[in-house]
Amino acid sequence: MTMLLTTATRPSRLLTKHLRNLRFSSSSSTSASTIASSFLNRFQSLGPQIRTQTLDPNQLRLLSLTLNRSSLFPSLPALSSTTTTPTADNAIDTEVSAGTPLPPGYHLVYFTPAFLETELGADGTDTSYNPSHPFTRRMWAGGEVSWPRDGSGRANPLRVGQRVTETTRVLSAEPKVVRKTGEEMIVVGVEKEFANEGGVAVVDRRNWVFRKALPPLTPSTTAEASSTLPPPSPPTPHPATSTTTSTGNTHTRTLTQTAVTLFRFSALTFNPHKIHYSLPWARDVEGHRDIVVHGPLNLISILDLWRDLRGADGRDGSLDLLYPESISYRATSPLYAGDEYRIVLEEKEGKGVVEILTADGRTAMKAGITSV
């Protein structure tokens, strides 16, 4: 999902509806409008950024375990060393075999940022696609992921062991103002294409919101922030919980993510954004009640529910069931470690309408899935 007005990059309906609450910004030479224009000109003059990587089997294994899924697909062996039966020579084989397809969304643990700690922003995020100061506070707002088909309608999955090319393009940078508060921000649209020997396998369009940097902390402001925030959630029983129920065409998966899960997901995606693991930063600096569940983690959880309902097991005969045509999604409010929340997926004529709801009924994310 992007912000350009061409046919290929038109915003999804979810983002279009959200942006009705925002308006364009224009003022002085240091305005969001000027900074966004300069940022876009700079990156479009640089052209696409290209990286290559071999898809490591252990990274895929560790993601499945982080998601508390003991096997990548129901038909494959267990991945945990404690549940795998040793062989005759006492060797335990938990490696994912070469050629195994990546479930939808699992590409997110590859092509991770590669920066020294000294090159990171104050909040821990990499600054590779940041606009100029003061618009440096990044949030993952949503996006759209698609899995292109060939002429016969067959999917082209990314597979373990493949040499894959990632091509990144900056598509847009638009200044916005929140109508209710007057806050300026910049919405950056980025597209990542992942291609193997069969061509483009995944197109991942992401929208990042960049807000103004926070003022430097002082002991007094830290104490004041801590005193006005509610206490963090009580520790979550280990492991994270997940249950699924269905009523007609409506399917509900109830989840609780632990701080351990969030830490492991941050490690796998090499994402040092402090709101996901540092309670002092999340509470005292960013004003959150607790550490925050990753937007991409929620995206993967939605796609896992979708593929589980179809019984897709990664075999060649079910590959087309494994991948939807596309998913568009938009985060609307944060979710926190220790909180119970529900993914509600309603199937309507080959499409899925998804909401992630908190225990008190607040909508944290909306998504739409299109099947082939």
Side-chain angles (χ1 to χ4, degrees):
M1 175 171 56
T2 66
M3 306 292 293
L4 296 181
L5 297 182
T6 62
T7 300
T9 60
R10 187 176 292 116
S12 73
R13 291 181 180 177
L14 284 174
L15 183 63
T16 300
K17 182 177 179 181
H18 174 59
L19 293 181
R20 290 186 187 134
N21 295 321
L22 305 177
R23 58 184 172 86
F24 285 95
S25 166
S26 60
S27 55
S28 68
S29 60
T30 58
S31 69
S33 179
T34 301
I35 292 174
S37 178
S38 175
F39 168 85
L40 185 60
N41 289 337
R42 175 164 59 94
F43 273 94
Q44 292 193 335
S45 66
L46 289 174
Q49 306 298 301
I50 299 173
R51 297 191 293 173
T52 58
Q53 185 176 110
T54 300
L55 301 187
D56 169 42
N58 196 51
Q59 188 79 344
L60 194 57
R61 170 184 175 242
L62 294 178
L63 175 59
S64 188
L65 296 176
T66 296
L67 298 171
N68 290 291
R69 300 176 69 97
S70 60
S71 61
L72 197 61
F73 301 106
S75 60
L76 296 183
L79 297 173
S80 171
S81 299
T82 60
T83 59
T84 302
T85 303
T87 60
D89 58 0
N90 293 323
I92 297 177
D93 184 8
T94 58
E95 185 175 64
V96 178
S97 301
T100 299
L102 271 62
Y106 284 36
H107 68 281
L108 289 166
V109 296
Y110 294 97
F111 292 96
T112 56
F115 297 95
L116 296 171
E117 184 175 342
T118 54
E119 298 170 324
L120 301 175
D123 61 358
T125 58
D126 74 89
T127 60
S128 50
Y129 293 99
N130 278 21
S132 300
H133 183 82
F135 296 96
T136 57
R137 292 174 63 202
R138 190 181 76 186
M139 298 184 297
W140 190 307
E144 182 174 11
V145 186
S146 60
W147 292 265
R149 262 58 176 183
D150 61 19
S152 61
R154 299 301 305 274
N156 170 34
L158 297 174
R159 296 178 182 270
V160 171
Q162 285 181 335
R163 186 73 171 170
V164 174
T165 300
E166 176 205 63
T167 303
T168 303
R169 301 176 180 89
V170 175
L171 298 174
S172 61
E174 296 194 5
K176 302 290 179 182
V177 173
V178 180
R179 291 185 186 276
K180 292 183 178 180
T181 64
E183 179 189 6
E184 283 190 307
M185 59 181 62
I186 296 175
V187 181
V188 172
V190 173
E191 177 186 81
K192 291 180 177 287
E193 284 187 349
F194 300 89
N196 55 20
E197 64 270 16
V200 177
V202 181
V203 179
D204 185 341
R205 292 172 180 156
R206 306 170 185 178
N207 287 287
W208 292 322
V209 170
F210 290 90
R211 301 168 64 188
K212 288 186 177 180
L214 294 165
L217 284 179
T218 64
S220 61
T221 58
T222 300
E224 181 180 353
S226 297
S227 65
T228 58
L229 289 170
S233 304
T236 307
H238 187 78
T241 58
S242 172
T243 58
T244 305
T245 59
S246 296
T247 303
N249 293 327
T250 301
H251 313 279
T252 301
R253 176 163 289 173
T254 302
L255 293 167
T256 303
Q257 306 290 5
T258 67
V260 173
T261 298
L262 301 190
F263 182 85
R264 295 172 86 180
F265 190 79
S266 287
L268 281 173
T269 55
F270 210 54
N271 177 6
H273 197 173
K274 295 177 183 176
I275 63 171
H276 300 305
Y277 61 88
S278 171
L279 182 57
W281 181 275
R283 281 175 51 84
D284 302 338
V285 180
E286 298 281 358
H288 291 288
R289 172 167 53 81
D290 210 321
I291 56 175
V292 181
V293 178
H294 309 68
L297 177 57
N298 287 323
L299 171 63
I300 291 174
S301 296
I302 291 172
L303 290 166
D304 274 346
L305 173 58
W306 186 89
R307 72 178 173 102
D308 288 345
L309 293 171
R310 277 146 189 78
D313 62 1
R315 298 176 182 175
D316 288 341
S318 68
L319 279 179
D320 294 331
L321 292 175
L322 185 61
Y323 304 97
E325 180 180 336
S326 64
I327 180 171
S328 60
Y329 63 101
R330 176 171 62 84
T332 57
S333 61
L335 292 165
Y336 298 111
D339 285 357
E340 181 179 275
Y341 62 95
R342 293 171 292 135
I343 301 174
V344 181
L345 189 160
E346 184 179 3
E347 296 184 288
K348 297 180 178 180
E349 299 178 353
K351 296 185 177 181
V353 178
V354 183
E355 278 192 298
I356 295 183
L357 303 173
T358 63
D360 60 4
R362 175 173 46 87
T363 300
M365 181 175 281
K366 293 183 178 182
I369 303 175
T370 302
S371 301
V372 178

